[in-house]
Amino acid sequence: MDRRANQLARLLCGVGVGRESRVALCLARSVDMVVAELAV
């Protein structure tokens, strides 16, 4: 899970998401939701 969250976080940074950026998450309750929350 940590590896996946870090990978997604790097992807988000690569497309310009920064500290003050807003990111919307719309996922069903799952491991993917937790990964996305950790990445953001």
Side-chain angles (χ1 to χ4, degrees):
M1 185 178 306
D2 186 52
R3 181 186 53 80
R4 289 176 59 192
N6 285 333
Q7 185 178 23
L8 180 55
R10 283 191 298 275
L11 177 83
L12 291 171
C13 287
V15 296
V17 175
R19 288 182 179 237
E20 298 297 322
S21 299
R22 293 183 184 185
V23 176
L25 299 175
C26 183
L27 299 162
R29 288 184 179 184
S30 65
V31 173
D32 291 335
M33 179 186 71
V34 177
V35 168
E37 289 173 348
L38 290 172
V40 172

